Amino acid sequence: MYLPDFEYHMPATIQEACALLAEKGQVAKVLAGGTDLLNKMKHGLVAPAVLISLKQLEQLSNIEYEEGKGVLIGARATHNAICNSKLLQEKYLSICEAAHHMANNQIRNVGTIGGNISNAVPSADLPPILMALDASITLVGTKGERVMALEEFFVGPGKTLLAPDEIIAQIVIPDQSCTGSTYIKFGLRRSGALAVVGVAVAVTMDGNVCKDARIVLGAVAPVPMRAPKAEAMIIGKAISDDLLEEVGVCASTECKPIDDIRGSAEYRRDMVRVFTKRALRKAINEGHV
Amino acid sequence: MGEKYAVIGKSVPKIDGRAKVTGQAKYTGDLKLPNLLVGKILTSPHAHARIISIDTTEAEKLPGVKAVITHKDVPTLKYGISPARWDESIFCSDKVRFVGDKVAAVAALDDETVYKALKLIKVDYEVLPAVFDPEEAIKEGAPQIHDEYARNINTEIHQNFGDVDKAFAEAHHLRTDRFVGNRTYQCPIEPHSAISIWEGGKLTVYSSTQSPHYFQHYIAREFGLKMGDVRVIKTYVGGGFGGKLEPTGLEFAGAVLSKITGRPVKMFYDRHEMFAHNRGRHKQIMEITTSVDKNGKITGVYANFMMDGGAYTSLGIATAYYAGAMLPLTYEFVNFKFDMIRAYTNLPACGAQRGHGAPQPRYAFECHLDNVAADLGMDPIELRLINARQPNTVTPNDFAVNSCELTECITKAKEISGWVQKKGNLPSGKGIGIGVGSFVSGAGYPIYRTNLPHASAIIKVHEDGTAATLYTGATDIGQGSDTVLCQMAAEAMGFRYENMKIVAADTETTPHDFGAYASRQTLMSGSAVKQAGEEVKGQMLELASEMMEVEVSDLDCRDSIVFSLSDPEKAMPFGEVAREFFVRKGPLVGKGSYAPPKLGGTFKGAAVGTSPAYSFAAQISEVEIDEETGEIDVKDVWDVHDCGMVINPGLLHAQVHGALYMGMGESIWEQVLFDDKGKILNPNLGEYRMPTAMDMPRITSELVESYEPAGPWGVKEVGEGATIPTMGCYANAIYDAMGIRVNSLPLSYEKVWRALKEKKEKEKA
């Protein structure tokens, strides 16, 4: 286990970083927290000839609110910065909680939200809750900036729509009417375990009637996925345990899990049923976003 | 002076506690020496392959590389920790037998160069068919792993005591169950490392070791050196649990690299390489049949086992014997039959992990007994009490048991856990279970045949009497033997613990001891230390008698004060007497050594499991199962131990906590997984899931009054004994919560989920 040789750059501006990416091409990788990339390099799984560090791009670490836009989370914000952000705790506690249950404290101190998203690992913990909250993602490249819904960003395991010269700049969570949201991660121990299944939900309740719902499933498909049929099943209905069970069953038929060392597809599918139901119940009962 | 003992029986601070928590303690990997080179081993990417050629030319040309070695550069003598089968080589010459087998090594100026050089070594392999399952491995026509061992049978055991057939024929109830264990790995926090320095005719090795003695013995043997020309020094060690008992390629290859380069060479395993080197727990396949009479008394037991040994023997032959030998120790029965096959497979070699061969069979037997109890409509605790071993008895395999408070352990555990109120009355999804166990307090015989005493010690009082140093070969790997032995030395001398120093586990400066394994040091090393301390005290009192003009028989020494028993006002500081001793007679030194009495029977394998004393324990746990997900939440564990006199209660309870922690991991989460080519899928602490602090239950660790005549001050072991009942205890609680049995480890959430689902489906149908 030793890092292979690579060329190292630490650009001072995001434009400079994009220009470097464009110039170096496919052999270049962006380095943020490095918790995933450096580990893969040490194990010989990837061997980028060029690393472009975002270390100097301080503005990418900000977490702030902008009137008319919503909450902006800079791509370099670490998981612990997200956990500890007063702004997020107040407006979107469910994001803080999702970040808090990731990996372990050492990794949370270093790993970043941009890295978590750009890795596009199916079991990643942040994308489901961000998608449930209708987040969009801002990409900056040599030709300028573009914005897309986060749920459109993922293409497959490790694959995204990020162009070779682009960097994730920020994640935007728009103002919304949602009354409750949560992310439940089901791992095989209480800390330091990857999700076998992750379910994020956001609901808008009017009394006992669900006006709107977004259900996002993690670790059960090539990308974090919405469960549209399950969502349709709950919208407009009065909540009951039977309904939540039916919605869970519906979500479990929508997911596309595989067998791996953490669990069989069959198990994962049933866990989608269980945790969709539980996540909805939690979001409805706790009533915070 | 009211208390019987001044130093022992107290939770004094660990002697190395400050050094460890401040980071001052240096482990082998931390050491830096002038001209130090870094060495690394190239291992096989194939599970089974013939080596066609090895080309090291390019690696040798790389600037900074100082040596590249293969089988051509090292002794060909085969080695292994167990003389019963020496089947390992420093480097493979003909073929590799698992993914991770040793092929070549490099020494270079720095880490970076070493890793680059490894990539430049070209090895041509002819890949051979491989076998990964012990039941497949012993079939005719399976790939042959070692030419010498037909059908891949590494060892075969057939033992028969009493008349099992008769017991079974006359049984009131007879039951057979089959259980499958898991391959687990010790995962000590500190990775293995070694620094070898071969200067002139002398080889010095700093190592992360559980036994400097066995390292010295086998390293000397491998290189044809006199033992006196090999010095093995243990540094601080960050855990072993059985995995650091035998020298590895780090010591053997490191020695050769140092000899060739004339420079010290540091070698280490990274986490992945530790998993590949392994020597962890064997996976056992265990079929157990038990007959009982109408009262639930066990009349006969037949254990028919098989174990996956991996590619080499390691300590596995002893493991195989232990698997059976410990069964008739915990419960009393006279008819016992044991068959075992240890099979070679193309997987990393298994060895001795905390509890050695005993925990999985104990898991199987404790689960099996709960099944028997259910068949008979008996409370599981009742069944255990009826069969529990009693003091001053002999097992069918000739182990003499002196002290034994198992009945008291079970009774107390039942009481403090609220068993009576809980059993059968817990709400759905909750369960309570018991596991019982026993273990050796040191092996009756060393690993290789020798008549050396098992332990020895020297205590030297400093010239001015303000301090005393204990010199012992005993090996502290984190469990706290340095602390406990200093407490024992101080008690025996009448000295203060705070003024004790220790030099331990250095084959040149400290007297011989076999090291940290088989839970031997508190009893065995402790005996030697006690004798040494008493010798110091005897000499002190003799001189004090002259100085104080008091009869020796009227003198005693405690807390560093020599005083008259009849008139305690007459007293003199220890230091003053000790200083005078040095002036008049030279160094004040005490010596001690310990050899166990001749133990055990004469049948084949009779030595394994013999011990001067045995510890006993009962554990009860309460679990809660999420009936939808299968998630297991261990709520509470109660451990009650009979470990004789306790020297340091704090350290003792820490051992129990550690054992419950490891046992919980092995019961619910831990398992080394392989792909269909024999490559480890989870050689890291992310996917090989040991419990975290957040997963731990509330623990209640209690003791019963006990005194062991064979141990100094009545001591017995705890470190491994606390691991023995654990898996069975959790498994039985999970069984109680679910109402159905999963017969394999680990009892993963998914297995529990599946069992519950099948149960529901059955109930519907």
Side-chain angles (χ1 to χ4, degrees):
Chain A
M1 281 224 309
Y2 202 80
L3 278 177
D5 289 344
F6 54 86
E7 197 180 295
Y8 183 74
H9 298 272
M10 201 164 54
T13 65
I14 195 160
Q15 287 72 25
E16 203 187 314
C18 295
L20 265 169
L21 274 172
E23 181 199 327
K24 302 292 178 182
Q26 298 289 352
V27 298
K29 281 257 181 203
V30 170
L31 175 69
T35 54
D36 192 77
L37 179 61
L38 296 181
N39 200 37
K40 279 186 186 149
M41 287 170 70
K42 280 187 179 178
H43 282 95
L45 301 172
V46 290
V50 180
L51 286 188
I52 297 166
S53 169
L54 305 184
K55 213 172 189 173
Q56 289 203 79
L57 309 183
E58 275 305 324
Q59 74 280 12
L60 290 192
S61 304
N62 294 345
I63 302 173
E64 59 202 354
Y65 181 73
E66 199 179 308
E67 207 57 53
K69 265 188 153 180
V71 172
L72 317 178
I73 305 177
R76 273 194 59 217
T78 63
H79 309 315
N80 268 346
I82 290 169
C83 288
N84 299 328
S85 155
K86 288 275 176 300
L87 175 66
L88 283 173
Q89 284 172 6
E90 198 181 296
K91 293 189 85 81
Y92 299 108
L93 184 61
S94 55
I95 297 178
C96 304
E97 288 177 345
H100 181 66
H101 287 104
M102 290 174 70
N104 54 46
N105 201 40
Q106 292 91 329
I107 289 175
R108 290 195 295 271
N109 271 331
V110 182
T112 65
I113 185 171
N116 190 248
I117 292 172
S118 65
N119 271 330
V121 175
S123 63
D125 290 309
L126 293 177
I129 187 64
L130 295 170
M131 280 165 60
L133 293 168
D134 202 16
S136 60
I137 185 166
T138 307
L139 311 176
V140 176
T142 47
K143 295 184 201 83
E145 190 178 292
R146 58 178 177 144
V147 177
M148 68 176 76
L150 181 59
E151 75 177 88
E152 286 162 18
F153 181 67
F154 300 106
V155 178
K159 293 202 180 76
T160 67
L161 291 179
L162 196 70
D165 69 331
E166 279 182 320
I167 287 169
I168 302 175
Q170 65 182 16
I171 291 87
V172 181
I173 301 138
D175 291 337
Q176 49 199 289
S177 60
C178 143
T179 56
S181 70
T182 195
Y183 169 70
I184 301 185
K185 168 188 188 159
F186 179 59
L188 298 179
R189 68 179 164 192
R190 289 191 185 145
S191 173
L194 293 175
V196 172
V197 165
V199 179
V201 300
V203 292
T204 307
M205 298 295 293
D206 180 3
N208 192 39
V209 176
C210 177
K211 291 286 175 197
D212 196 11
R214 294 168 73 94
I215 299 172
V216 186
L217 312 175
V220 289
V223 296
M225 60 170 280
R226 292 275 296 275
K229 286 182 196 154
E231 289 173 1
M233 190 178 263
I234 193 173
I235 294 171
K237 304 249 178 72
I239 299 303
S240 68
D241 286 346
D242 287 344
L243 175 67
L244 295 186
E245 174 69 25
E246 281 168 38
V247 173
V249 170
C250 180
S252 75
T253 58
E254 289 186 81
C255 67
K256 307 175 197 81
I258 53 161
D259 294 326
D260 72 9
I261 58 168
R262 289 183 287 280
S264 69
E266 189 193 356
Y267 184 51
R268 285 197 154 99
R269 200 177 278 285
D270 196 42
M271 291 308 100
V272 166
R273 172 186 67 82
V274 173
F275 288 102
T276 299
K277 177 175 69 178
R278 290 186 187 179
L280 285 167
R281 178 51 78 193
K282 185 164 180 268
I284 293 164
N285 285 5
E286 289 182 1
H288 65 76
V289 186
Chain B
M1 299 256 166
E3 290 176 64
K4 193 171 174 194
Y5 300 116
V7 191
I8 61 172
K10 295 185 167 55
S11 300
V12 303
K14 262 187 124 176
I15 201 160
D16 53 3
R18 178 180 289 268
K20 282 180 172 169
V21 299
T22 56
Q24 181 199 351
K26 296 288 175 259
Y27 297 77
T28 301
D30 296 324
L31 300 182
K32 290 182 173 61
L33 296 170
N35 291 321
L36 188 65
L37 296 177
V38 182
K40 203 79 200 153
I41 296 170
L42 178 74
T43 60
S44 153
H46 304 295
H48 199 194
R50 199 166 298 291
I51 297 173
I52 308 295
S53 66
I54 306 174
D55 182 358
T56 59
T57 333
E58 290 303 311
E60 282 161 30
K61 280 187 206 156
L62 186 71
V65 169
K66 297 295 169 191
V68 183
I69 55 173
T70 68
H71 63 92
K72 290 179 187 150
D73 308 292
V74 301
T76 54
L77 187 66
K78 289 199 172 178
Y79 69 84
I81 181 78
S82 170
R85 302 273 184 287
W86 282 320
D87 56 9
E88 287 190 69
S89 305
I90 300 182
F91 295 121
C92 301
S93 55
D94 54 345
K95 57 179 193 173
V96 293
R97 294 176 174 84
F98 72 99
V99 178
D101 218 348
K102 309 186 295 298
V103 176
V106 174
L109 292 176
D110 51 44
D111 282 354
E112 188 178 348
T113 311
V114 162
Y115 281 97
K116 281 184 177 163
L118 288 180
K119 285 190 181 156
L120 295 174
I121 300 173
K122 291 188 197 77
V123 187
D124 258 351
Y125 294 102
E126 176 201 342
V127 177
L128 302 170
V131 62
F132 307 116
D133 180 305
E135 289 175 302
E136 293 300 315
I138 61 164
K139 286 181 183 161
E140 290 293 345
Q144 179 85 16
I145 299 169
H146 292 267
D147 292 344
E148 303 88 326
Y149 301 102
R151 287 175 52 222
N152 298 311
I153 294 176
N154 171 249
T155 195
E156 212 173 326
I157 302 169
H158 305 286
Q159 293 179 336
N160 204 343
F161 307 97
D163 191 343
V164 171
D165 294 339
K166 183 161 173 279
F168 284 5
E170 293 169 358
H172 166 71
H173 179 66
L174 190 68
R175 184 186 172 102
T176 302
D177 284 304
R178 186 176 190 269
F179 298 89
V180 179
N182 45 344
R183 239 179 195 268
T184 62
Y185 177 57
Q186 292 98 343
C187 287
I189 290 306
E190 183 217 5
H192 305 55
S193 62
I195 296 175
S196 301
I197 310 160
W198 198 318
E199 277 174 335
K202 186 172 170 188
L203 174 59
T204 301
V205 182
Y206 291 87
S207 182
S208 172
T209 171
Q210 289 182 228
S211 172
H213 175 82
Y214 288 125
F215 275 48
Q216 182 193 27
H217 174 78
Y218 278 113
I219 291 168
R221 175 184 169 272
E222 189 67 17
F223 295 112
L225 293 168
K226 292 191 286 262
M227 273 181 76
D229 287 334
V230 176
R231 179 181 186 184
V232 178
I233 305 166
K234 179 199 76 98
T235 57
Y236 283 97
V237 172
F241 312 103
K244 293 177 181 171
L245 187 57
E246 57 199 284
T248 69
L250 302 181
E251 286 82 18
F252 291 127
V256 176
L257 289 169
S258 177
K259 189 178 186 186
I260 291 173
T261 60
R263 294 169 69 159
V265 177
K266 180 194 283 187
M267 303 192 70
F268 67 96
Y269 284 146
D270 62 28
R271 189 61 60 181
H272 188 146
E273 290 163 339
M274 291 166 75
F275 273 89
H277 169 69
N278 192 35
R279 323 289 148 155
R281 178 108 49 229
H282 290 71
K283 168 187 169 175
Q284 298 190 44
I285 300 161
M286 301 159 289
E287 192 189 273
I288 299 192
T289 306
T290 296
S291 58
V292 288
D293 69 13
K294 61 182 189 325
N295 302 317
K297 181 94 191 82
I298 299 169
T299 55
V301 173
Y302 173 41
N304 186 16
F305 293 176
M306 180 180 287
M307 57 180 18
D308 165 15
Y312 297 102
T313 299
S314 180
L315 204 56
I317 298 205
T319 321
Y321 278 99
Y322 262 112
M326 292 286 105
L327 284 176
L329 176 65
T330 314
Y331 301 110
E332 292 188 352
F333 48 85
V334 291
N335 304 306
F336 175 52
K337 190 174 161 194
F338 174 48
D339 289 326
M340 163 69 94
I341 290 175
R342 183 182 190 268
Y344 281 118
T345 59
N346 290 111
L347 293 177
C350 301
Q353 179 169 338
R354 200 175 194 169
H356 210 164
Q360 282 185 13
R362 178 54 52 197
Y363 145 78
F365 199 62
E366 292 298 308
C367 291
H368 172 66
L369 271 192
D370 265 32
N371 292 348
V372 171
D375 292 348
L376 298 177
M378 269 180 94
D379 182 279
I381 287 194
E382 223 28 62
L383 184 69
R384 284 171 173 83
L385 283 171
I386 286 170
N387 292 290
R389 174 142 313 272
Q390 299 301 313
N392 304 310
T393 51
V394 178
T395 70
N397 45 349
D398 295 336
F399 302 159
V401 175
N402 309 319
S403 64
C404 172
E405 301 298 335
L406 180 55
T407 299
E408 182 57 25
C409 288
I410 298 173
T411 309
K412 189 167 178 182
K414 181 181 174 182
E415 215 177 276
I416 62 174
S417 64
W419 177 274
V420 176
Q421 297 80 5
K422 288 173 182 166
K423 180 70 183 170
N425 299 322
L426 292 172
S428 169
K430 285 195 171 190
I432 189 164
I434 184 166
V436 166
S438 46
F439 203 60
V440 301
S441 304
Y445 296 85
I447 293 175
Y448 70 95
R449 194 168 289 202
T450 172
N451 61 358
L452 288 175
H454 288 218
S456 56
I458 297 169
I459 297 169
K460 185 195 81 173
V461 179
H462 292 215
E463 291 73 20
D464 65 352
T466 56
T469 302
L470 168 63
Y471 296 84
T472 169
T475 306
D476 194 331
I477 55 174
Q479 83 282 43
S481 62
D482 281 357
T483 301
V484 166
L485 294 174
C486 280
Q487 280 182 272
M488 291 167 120
E491 184 71 45
M493 292 162 68
F495 200 60
R496 288 174 60 86
Y497 167 75
E498 294 73 14
N499 297 340
M500 285 301 304
K501 317 283 171 197
I502 184 162
V503 175
D506 172 346
T507 58
E508 199 149 298
T509 58
T510 66
H512 162 78
D513 191 290
F514 284 122
Y517 67 99
S519 295
R520 53 180 295 287
Q521 295 189 146
T522 306
L523 190 148
M524 296 189 170
S525 311
S527 293
V529 167
K530 182 170 187 269
Q531 194 187 352
E534 285 167 352
E535 198 174 295
V536 168
K537 188 172 171 178
Q539 295 174 79
M540 282 279 299
L541 296 188
E542 208 171 293
L543 179 63
S545 165
E546 281 178 40
M547 291 169 71
M548 296 164 70
E549 294 176 350
V550 178
E551 285 294 314
V552 171
S553 60
D554 187 35
L555 280 177
D556 199 2
C557 181
R558 187 179 163 116
D559 268 333
S560 292
I561 294 167
V562 182
F563 61 96
S564 154
L565 289 164
S566 58
D567 179 9
E569 293 296 305
K570 273 193 195 164
M572 195 173 264
F574 185 105
E576 200 177 319
V577 183
R579 191 184 179 285
E580 187 60 24
F581 188 99
F582 189 72
V583 170
R584 291 197 201 174
K585 303 182 179 184
L588 174 52
V589 172
K591 305 193 302 292
S593 76
Y594 173 82
K598 189 171 162 27
L599 296 166
T602 50
F603 58 92
K604 190 175 180 208
V608 180
T610 57
S611 178
Y614 296 92
S615 71
F616 295 85
Q619 291 174 352
I620 292 178
S621 65
E622 193 176 328
V623 304
E624 188 173 345
I625 286 174
D626 183 323
E627 291 178 300
E628 279 192 307
T629 65
E631 185 173 356
I632 298 161
D633 185 3
V634 181
K635 294 290 189 190
D636 266 292
V637 191
W638 298 268
D639 175 283
V640 182
H641 242 84
D642 161 17
C643 44
M645 162 75 191
V646 177
I647 302 299
N648 188 315
L651 288 178
L652 178 122
H653 294 305
Q655 285 292 317
V656 171
H657 283 230
L660 289 165
Y661 167 87
M662 280 185 96
M664 197 165 129
E666 291 188 54
S667 302
I668 304 173
W669 290 301
E670 295 178 32
Q671 183 167 28
V672 183
L673 300 165
F674 299 89
D675 69 10
D676 61 359
K677 300 267 189 297
K679 192 168 161 254
I680 308 175
L681 289 168
N682 55 345
N684 55 65
L685 301 182
E687 294 292 351
Y688 181 88
R689 279 179 298 278
M690 301 159 79
T692 69
M694 290 174 68
D695 299 296
M696 288 300 285
R698 190 163 43 214
I699 293 173
T700 309
S701 173
E702 297 254 354
L703 299 162
V704 293
E705 279 290 317
S706 165
Y707 180 88
E708 171 53 50
W713 293 287
V715 306
K716 294 196 282 191
E717 78 87 44
V718 69
E720 292 180 273
T723 300
I724 308 285
T726 312
M727 292 178 225
C729 153
Y730 290 126
N732 282 337
I734 293 165
Y735 167 61
D736 188 51
M738 292 205 296
I740 29 167
R741 177 74 72 185
V742 176
N743 283 351
S744 68
L745 293 172
L747 297 154
S748 67
Y749 300 168
E750 184 168 348
K751 282 186 198 165
V752 169
W753 166 81
R754 195 173 295 282
L756 286 166
K757 189 174 136 212
E758 284 165 3
K759 184 186 168 195
K760 261 187 218 149
E761 281 162 6
K762 238 184 228 167
E763 282 166 0
K764 265 189 202 161

